[in-house]
Amino acid sequence: DVPETPDEPEIPDVPETPDEPEIPDVPETPDEPETPDEPETPDEPEIPENLGDLDDDEEITANDAILALRMSIGVDEYDDDMLKIADVDGDGEITANDAVMILRASIGLENLGTE
């Protein structure tokens, strides 16, 4: 007699592999990336027509330089409008340098940007 062979173990059915998931369409990226709007640059400060003419006599004279010097050391007070006229070097302050520049302009050695 032939010995009986045991039944082979039953192999379970292997499920079919699912189809690969569908990849959604990706919108094309533009060639050039969008850049945010550039910030506006502040306008250049406007140069007053009477720059350096502190006594408002329509001339740049040594008297204007004296007034600027007095303002620079606090002897004479000034407002924002006068600051714009006396601050000939544009540093935001009235200093002895402004007085010197005004004095030089009074004898033709300096151009204050108004000519």
Side-chain angles (χ1 to χ4, degrees):
D1 275 316
V2 181
E4 272 186 42
T5 59
D7 291 338
E8 289 189 25
E10 195 174 301
I11 299 174
D13 289 339
V14 177
E16 290 183 29
T17 56
D19 294 338
E20 290 193 24
E22 190 173 309
I23 299 174
D25 290 336
V26 178
E28 290 184 28
T29 56
D31 292 335
E32 295 179 23
E34 287 187 35
T35 56
D37 293 336
E38 293 183 24
E40 290 186 24
T41 54
D43 294 332
E44 290 284 324
E46 202 170 300
I47 298 174
E49 287 184 31
N50 58 343
L51 184 66
D53 183 15
L54 304 182
D55 60 8
D56 202 26
D57 66 354
E58 299 181 5
E59 292 183 281
I60 306 291
T61 63
N63 190 52
D64 298 307
I66 291 168
L67 291 171
L69 189 58
R70 291 173 58 92
M71 290 176 196
S72 73
I73 61 173
V75 172
D76 291 345
E77 293 183 11
Y78 57 89
D79 59 15
D80 287 341
D81 291 333
M82 188 59 72
L83 172 64
K84 291 175 187 172
I85 297 168
D87 180 23
V88 296
D89 65 6
D91 68 354
E93 301 177 311
I94 300 174
T95 63
N97 188 54
D98 296 304
V100 169
M101 290 176 71
I102 292 169
L103 185 59
R104 290 175 53 87
S106 74
I107 58 173
L109 296 178
E110 188 86 37
N111 178 351
L112 300 180
T114 58
E115 286 94 38

